Amino acid sequence: MPAQPVTPRAPGPLRRALAAVGVQNSSLIITLVALVILLSVLNDNFLRTENLLRIASATTIMGLRCLVQSLLIILGALDISVGSMAGLASVVSAMVLASTGSSVFGVLAAVCIGIACGLVNGMIVIFGRVNPVVATLAMLAAYKGVAQVISNGKSQGYTGSDDLFIFLAKGSIAGLPSLLWVFLVVAAGLHFLLKCTDIGRNVYAIGGNDTAARLAGININCYIIGVYALVGVVAAIAGVLISARTGSGQPTSGSEGLELQAVTGAALGGTMLKGGKDPSSQRCSRS
């Protein structure tokens, strides 16, 4: 009598959770939980909703940088100039707002500056054949110098009250601060891009093996330049948030040190520093 085929058992809830999170990230989550427990024991007010929302708002700007730095690391690149780009965008947004009286023009000007800086970074890496770390380290100093020159080394305040900037700094939606909503929207957009689109699949492929990706017909140059431009956009958003929170454009003080924080945050968040796709990650199914 022929043997009956053995039906594999469905994985349990714990195994499915580990597969979704990633085994390599489990230790990070355990450490985070332990840290939260320790802080809540040391301070009774730590787990209060108001305190947690303040912490979330305070870390939004750094969180945005970590998101795009993670995208670059997956691609197999890096950007050390994110902080100086945010500082330059902050100055430009405040100066345009002060001269035109329109926060919309200020935001658009900052985004345009961010795109331009990102394109410059990408083209230096591609056409100049410069290592991304070296290229963006040089541009860190360049963008910081431009911000200092156009601002005369001073914070650029804008007169009067602006509803959009006030809303970004102090507003809330459904009980959550506006700053946190900006972070959540950007995070959701990047998650969808990476997990549910061909663009995200190609980004993983380039980071995993750029030679194989090129042989598969992926235009690596376009992807690298495009991702650097996207980094510039998010850097500009962070710069606008800096201006909204401080009430002025900050050439350096509001963005100093964001570069190392972004890389550290991306690594601690579980991004594989060697780039490419984590085999344990799951993608959205496509019909």
Side-chain angles (χ1 to χ4, degrees):
M1 184 175 179
Q4 296 294 328
V6 178
T7 304
R9 295 179 58 185
L14 179 59
R15 187 178 294 273
R16 290 198 300 269
L18 288 176
V21 173
V23 177
Q24 76 284 353
N25 294 332
S26 301
S27 58
L28 297 174
I29 295 177
I30 293 173
T31 302
L32 176 61
V33 172
L35 181 61
V36 170
I37 293 175
L38 176 63
L39 292 176
S40 62
V41 171
L42 296 176
N43 190 334
D44 295 336
N45 296 323
F46 178 75
L47 289 180
R48 292 180 59 184
T49 302
E50 181 180 358
N51 183 60
L52 294 178
L53 291 177
R54 287 180 178 177
I55 294 175
S57 297
T59 57
T60 295
I61 296 173
M62 183 186 71
L64 290 173
R65 315 306 323 128
C66 295
L67 289 175
V68 290
Q69 199 69 258
S70 297
L71 179 62
L72 274 171
I73 292 175
I74 292 172
L75 185 69
L78 205 63
D79 192 341
I80 309 299
S81 67
V82 289
S84 57
M85 280 195 290
L88 177 58
S90 174
V91 169
V92 169
S93 65
M95 293 179 67
V96 172
L97 172 58
S99 61
T100 64
S102 172
S103 59
V104 175
F105 287 158
V107 173
L108 290 177
V111 171
C112 290
I113 287 294
I115 294 175
C117 292
L119 290 175
V120 168
N121 287 350
M123 288 188 291
I124 290 176
V125 171
I126 293 300
F127 300 112
R129 299 185 181 275
V130 182
N131 182 279
V133 176
V134 176
T136 56
L137 184 61
M139 297 314 296
L140 177 149
Y143 298 144
K144 186 180 296 185
V146 172
Q148 291 282 2
V149 169
I150 65 176
S151 65
N152 292 322
K154 299 180 293 185
S155 299
Q156 298 296 307
Y158 46 88
T159 59
S161 60
D162 181 83
D163 292 338
L164 176 59
F165 276 42
I166 292 176
F167 174 74
L168 289 175
K170 301 179 181 179
S172 63
I173 301 175
L176 296 179
S178 302
L179 292 172
L180 183 57
W181 276 110
V182 173
F183 172 81
L184 293 176
V185 169
V186 174
L190 291 179
H191 177 80
F192 179 81
L193 178 71
L194 285 173
K195 299 296 184 181
C196 303
T197 68
D198 290 337
I199 294 176
R201 181 188 63 193
N202 292 340
V203 168
Y204 276 113
I206 294 170
N209 190 323
D210 59 346
T211 301
R214 183 179 290 106
L215 294 176
I218 299 174
N219 192 328
I220 295 179
N221 291 352
C222 287
Y223 271 88
I224 292 177
I225 293 176
V227 170
Y228 271 107
L230 179 59
V231 171
V233 171
V234 181
I237 295 174
V240 171
L241 296 183
I242 291 172
S243 298
R245 289 191 63 191
T246 61
S248 61
Q250 301 290 330
T252 55
S253 61
S255 58
E256 195 75 34
L258 286 182
E259 304 84 12
L260 296 180
Q261 293 178 15
V263 176
T264 303
L268 292 178
T271 304
M272 299 177 64
L273 294 179
K274 61 181 181 181
K277 181 180 182 299
D278 179 0
S280 66
S281 63
Q282 302 295 322
R283 293 185 179 277
C284 297
S285 59
R286 291 195 297 266
S287 56

